[in-house]
Amino acid sequence: MTAILFYLLSAICIISSILMIFHKNAMYSVLFLLICFFSVAGLYVMLNAQFLAIVHIIVYAGAIMVLFLYVIMFLNMSTPITIRKSKLVMGIAVFTGSSLCFVLVTALWATNFGQNPAIVNQDIGLASTLGKVLFNEFLIPFEVSSVLFLSSMVGIVIFNKKEQKDE
Amino acid sequence: MMVPTLPLIGFAGYLLYGQYLKEKSAGLLASLWIILSFFLTLILFFQLNESSPAINVHLFDWINTDDLNIPFEFRIDQLSIIMMLLITGVGSLIHIYSTGYMHGDEGFSRFFAYLNLFIFFMLILVMANNFVLMFAGWEGVGLCSYLLIGFWYKDHENNKAANKAFIINRIGDLFLLFGLFLLYKQFGTFIFSDLEQNIAGSMSSPEILTFITLLLFIGATGKSAQIPLYTWLPDAMAGPTPVSALIHAATMVTAGIYLIVRSNFLFALAPLTNEIITFVGLTTSIFAGVIATKQNDIKKILAYSTISQLGLMFFALGLGAYGAAFFHLLTHAFFKALLFLGAGSVIHGLHGEQDIRNMGNLKKYMHYTHLLFLIGVLAIIALPPFSGFYSKDNILSLAYIQSPIWWIAALFAGLLTVFYMLRLYFVVFWGKERMSQDTINKIHESPWSMLLPLLILGILSVFGGWINAPELLLGNKWLEHFISPIVSIHPSHLPHSTEWILMAVSMGSILLVAVMTYQKYVSKAHVPLIESNAKDGSFVNLIRNKFYVDELYESVIGKSFLKLSQFFNSIFENQVVRRITDGTGQLSLYVSENIRKTQNGFISYYLFAMALGVLGILTIFIFFAL
Amino acid sequence: MNDVTQLQDQLRLVPLEHYVFLCIVLFCIGLTGVLLRRNLINVFLSIELMLNSINLLAVAFSVYYNDPNAQAFVFFIMVVAAAEVAVGLAMLVMIYRNVQTVDINALNNLKW
């Protein structure tokens, strides 16, 4: 049962992502990516990473994708754009991607992952466990990430100020 | 330690500040360095006596690898201290002289810089404790000789003469280097003291030793102007007269003699080389003497005289009489420097005239110069009691021990010396005045700065013989005993009566030739003619043209080298070398042009490059490195 | 105990290699998208996809090796991704204001 669920979710993920990269309309690409994110969130739930699944949906699907949509609509790009790269370049791009895939899969095939620990710690993935980890080992990165957000906010605001010409 | 560094400081100082110093202070400062060195050397000299061991002053390890150890080390022993005294002493006299002679010349401070540098290198040469350091000094004095001969570089003839000197010197150096290489291969060391010990115990074949010593001798012929590498010395007279006095009379040309005396333990074991040296020295001596009889330039006569006297010294070296040769080196330095400086004084007084056919009766106008020049002439013709007599007689008696034939030949060379020197003296200082009236009005005696060194040298020429007077004449042969730690004393077994007879014969023949010369040049008032008026036989013409040796060298060797270098230039240089060098530049330009095009500003292109790069690295890591 | 083993079976039913394979495929698809598309927005979307694949990989490993640190790290990856998207989109708007297009090759003055 779990396996079937996994295969289903992963199929949805892959197909939607492929459609995303090939679709002409930017809006559609965003929506396909959204589907991909939801399937990834489903995979997180399957892995008992509940907190992360929720956070994933909130942050990515809720914030980032919405931001993308805002920008697309702001720039009036909902109509399909017809400018494309030359066929040669597109071919090389696909070739690069697939050869990287090939290389990495070969590496995967040759890797021995070793024995998994026998006892499953089912607390991993719970918010409490994650919180403990965050505030114990990762305290400083945690605090610094708030500074990071602050700086990016400040940066964005400054970016979009109109230049003031002195009278 | 300090002794050679002082002139070096002087030279370095000139490099930096030369153009700022006024003439007088520049000359004074340079002379001061050398005079200081002289006094330091004197102090060292008084610390050494006959039986002191050599002082080794190790400055630093110059070349120090597993098999090869060449330290920058000085060896102050009896032989080198005498040479140092000579160099610094005569050097300081010449510096003082030059302050007067070079007065008004625009390259005044440059001259003193070069002189200081020369003294530095010469000191290195004699103070070295191993062959390689000596060779460094050897090369250095060759360089300074080149710089000083071509001092008035604006006249192209001077440059050619300087080139000639340097190149011929270099040819000799090549052979010297070969000798040094063989020496190293045979004995594994360059240091004199080690070599001396090794030689005593080694079983090296005499052939190798003969070869080595022969190569060293050829190197010495280059520096000391013997056949076949002597042609540079007459042309080197194009340089200023103090240069001729210092370098080409007293010090540099004696470097070859010094080399052989220094390595006497090598030469003692190679009898074949010694014979060759004797023969070459004698031949050169007679050959140069013959040429000198028909020369008309004061300095050229003196140059050939130098070659002749050096030939005599080599003759003595070949006979194994190292002490006698060294003694003659010293006295020759005194009177030859005196003669050159005197000639310089004459030239200076006549405002640049050098041809003796345009001089005459100078004894009326230049009293001091005349007197001192006369002393020099008397010394060189070996008239007792001047110094030249003692040294030449020493050589002659030792030659007689070997065989009377050597004695007769050496005596003949000495008589040639009498003839051409007296010819020079009489034609210049006696007889009818052949200068133009204009010149006569402007004749003046030289300033005291030029006369003082002449005086000192004159005194030395008179009394210098006493340092090695034989027992026969109540001397004690001090010099030979002094350098005995380095040079074994040559035993002389002549009975005293034979010595008296030899001395009487030589003195008699000298006086005879002197009288003959007087007859020809004063009584009959014969004046050397200019070439077109001469109706002499072909042999005399041959002499007059220096036996066409220069022309021979030029046509045989010079032309072929020229053709060879032209060939190389056209084929090798133009086609191969230039293609490679220019091509490399062109290649890098071409490559950079094309690589430049990768920076085209398109972000997608950069992303591609990044992705492909990552792909490449991962591929290499995953497939090949793991 | 039964629940534990049930969960154990459930959690680790799919071998780790499958998850890694999925991540590799997603990553490569994202890379292809970056190189393929000419529109800046699409490029950003592909980058997001690549980041996501890494997140998935990290979570899979954390579950299979009992290490919660990886999930905390995922957290931070998300933080950075969010900030980056915000700044990137702001810049994109600014570019649009200046050159009136979001073609990736529009700004090419920084060249030889």
Side-chain angles (χ1 to χ4, degrees), chain B residues 130 195 287 452 472 478 487 500 556 589 600:
Chain B
N130 58 69
L195 272 173
F287 192 70
L452 182 65
L472 192 61
W478 173 83
V487 175
W500 280 116
V556 171
L589 275 177
N600 55 5

Side-chain angles (χ1 to χ4, degrees), chain C residues 79-91:
Chain C
V79 161
V80 169
E84 163 236 336
V85 163
V87 173
L89 285 177
M91 271 207 270

Side-chain angles (χ1 to χ4, degrees), chain C residues 12-102:
Chain C
R12 295 195 185 158
L13 195 61
V14 183
L16 186 56
E17 288 85 356
H18 289 45
Y19 276 103
V20 178
F21 180 73
L22 173 64
C23 293
I24 290 175
V25 171
L26 282 179
F27 186 82
C28 294
I29 292 176
L31 181 68
T32 314
V34 166
L35 299 177
L36 197 70
R37 302 299 301 231
R38 206 157 161 174
N39 195 342
L40 260 176
I41 304 226
N42 280 309
V43 171
F44 274 131
L45 287 174
S46 311
I47 292 179
E48 288 308 308
L49 181 58
M50 286 157 80
L51 281 167
N52 263 295
S53 75
I54 301 306
N55 284 349
L56 184 58
L57 188 69
V59 169
F61 269 97
S62 91
V63 165
Y64 276 73
Y65 286 112
N66 275 344
D67 193 3
N69 289 336
Q71 293 197 0
F73 197 66
V74 167
F75 199 77
F76 289 114
I77 295 180
M78 277 194 210
V79 161
V80 169
E84 163 236 336
V85 163
V87 173
L89 285 177
M91 271 207 270
L92 189 145
V93 168
M94 225 170 65
I95 291 174
Y96 185 79
R97 277 206 204 128
N98 280 327
V99 290
Q100 264 68 44
T101 175
V102 282

Side-chain angles (χ1 to χ4, degrees), chain A residues 45 85 105 123 130 140:
Chain A
V45 168
K85 293 190 174 178
V105 164
D123 289 340
L130 196 55
I140 292 185

Side-chain angles (χ1 to χ4, degrees), chain B residues 121-146:
Chain B
F121 274 124
M122 192 72 205
L123 283 171
I124 296 274
L125 201 157
V126 301
M127 284 166 73
N129 92 327
N130 58 69
F131 270 111
V132 178
L133 190 57
M134 189 166 89
F135 186 68
W138 186 279
E139 290 290 309
V141 297
L143 169 73
C144 292
S145 171
Y146 166 81

Side-chain angles (χ1 to χ4, degrees), chain B residues 31 62 73 76 264 308 369 371 388 390:
Chain B
S31 315
W62 186 16
E73 198 170 312
I76 320 274
N264 62 73
S308 182
T369 310
L371 197 61
Y390 290 104

Side-chain angles (χ1 to χ4, degrees), chain B residues 254-478:
Chain B
T254 59
I257 313 279
Y258 173 76
L259 169 69
I260 297 188
V261 175
R262 214 2 135 196
S263 21
N264 62 73
F265 48 87
L266 281 175
F267 283 88
L269 297 171
L272 179 63
T273 315
N274 285 339
E275 280 199 32
I276 296 179
I277 295 179
T278 317
F279 186 67
V280 169
L282 191 61
T283 318
T284 311
S285 187
I286 296 179
F287 192 70
V290 167
I291 296 181
T293 57
K294 279 280 173 218
Q295 295 300 309
N296 291 317
D297 182 326
I298 276 192
K299 288 175 69 172
K300 282 224 165 47
I301 297 179
L302 291 176
Y304 281 106
S305 162
T306 306
I307 302 178
S308 182
Q309 296 298 310
L310 286 171
L312 207 59
M313 285 183 229
F314 274 102
F315 172 72
L317 285 177
L319 295 172
Y322 299 105
F326 191 59
F327 180 37
H328 195 58
L329 186 153
L330 284 179
T331 57
H332 172 262
F334 296 147
F335 54 69
K336 194 41 76 63
L338 173 61
L339 284 171
F340 264 112
L341 293 185
S345 177
V346 165
I347 297 174
H348 184 84
L350 290 178
H351 296 283
E353 180 61 64
Q354 286 187 257
D355 194 328
I356 64 174
R357 294 172 293 196
N358 294 338
M359 305 177 193
N361 205 19
L362 279 180
K363 71 179 189 325
K364 176 167 150 199
Y365 297 103
M366 302 176 76
H367 296 291
Y368 295 113
T369 310
H370 168 241
L371 197 61
L372 293 165
F373 198 86
L374 181 61
I375 294 180
V377 170
L378 290 176
I380 197 175
I381 65 178
L383 210 59
F386 295 90
S387 54
F389 164 69
Y390 290 104
S391 53
K392 200 173 279 187
D393 188 71
N394 200 354
I395 298 179
L396 283 178
S397 55
L398 289 171
Y400 187 78
I401 296 177
Q402 285 284 89
S403 118
I405 303 186
W406 286 137
W407 179 79
I408 293 180
L411 186 62
F412 179 61
L415 291 177
L416 276 174
T417 309
V418 176
F419 177 68
Y420 62 71
M421 285 311 296
L422 280 178
R423 167 180 179 264
L424 170 64
Y425 170 69
F426 286 132
V427 170
V428 170
F429 287 100
W430 291 48
K432 197 160 66 86
E433 293 168 21
R434 294 178 296 279
M435 294 97 54
S436 64
Q437 191 59 36
D438 195 40
T439 320
I440 296 181
N441 292 343
K442 287 194 285 187
I443 293 182
H444 62 278
E445 183 60 90
S446 303
W448 68 268
S449 60
M450 285 166 66
L451 287 180
L452 182 65
L454 283 177
L455 184 64
I456 298 181
L457 284 171
I459 295 176
L460 282 171
S461 301
V462 174
F463 298 112
W466 291 3
I467 62 176
N468 201 26
E471 294 92 358
L472 192 61
L473 299 170
L474 307 172
N476 61 353
K477 282 217 169 247
W478 173 83

